[in-house]
């Protein structure tokens, strides 16, 4: 194992520096760019820690759904719906955690 600080620690520190030290010193027209950098760092950290459910070939699944193979009442509907719900939740946890009620 590598010594601390590791990459995630350094990214978190960089985000704090951008938000707490650099952003307040910037002119207002540059503030949005600094917030975008901080948001990108936060997303990268969440992505690094994300655990996605195992997924089948999405193109094949989409084709099967379009063909009606997973419509309500079919044998695989409930499992497919749960799989897609879990996948959407895992993606939202990375890209839009506030949509899931996360704070911070």
């Amino acid at each position: 194992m590598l010594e601390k600080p590791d990459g995630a620690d350094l990214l978190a520190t960089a985000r704090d520096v951008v938000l707490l030290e650099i952003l307040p010193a910037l002119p207002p027209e540059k503030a949005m760019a600094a917030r975008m950098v901080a948001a990108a760092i936060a997303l990268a950290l969440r992505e690094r820690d994300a655990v996605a459910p195992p997924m089948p070939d999405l193109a094949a699944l989409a084709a099967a759904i379009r063909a009606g193979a997973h419509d309500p009442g079919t044998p695989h509907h409930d499992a497919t719906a749960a799989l897609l719900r879990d996948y959407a939740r895992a993606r939202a946890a990375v890209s839009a955690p506030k949509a899931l009620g996360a704070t911070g």
Side-chain angles (χ1 to χ4, degrees):
M1 178 163 185
L2 298 177
E3 294 180 25
K4 292 282 185 174
D6 63 11
D9 293 329
L10 293 173
L11 281 172
T13 299
R15 182 176 184 275
D16 289 345
V17 169
V18 168
L19 290 174
L20 301 175
E21 296 180 29
I22 296 173
L23 180 61
L26 290 174
E29 64 271 11
K30 299 294 183 182
M32 178 60 79
R35 285 190 190 93
M36 286 174 39
V37 169
I41 292 170
L43 188 142
L45 288 169
R46 289 190 304 271
E47 193 172 70
R48 174 189 169 268
D49 296 335
V51 177
M55 289 298 296
D57 174 24
L58 292 179
L61 178 60
I65 289 170
R66 284 191 298 276
H70 301 282
D71 284 353
T74 59
H76 301 291
H77 173 265
D78 291 343
T80 301
L83 176 93
L84 292 173
R85 215 176 3 262
D86 291 346
Y87 182 65
R89 183 170 294 282
R91 289 192 57 173
V94 171
S95 62
K98 289 181 183 176
L100 300 175
T103 59

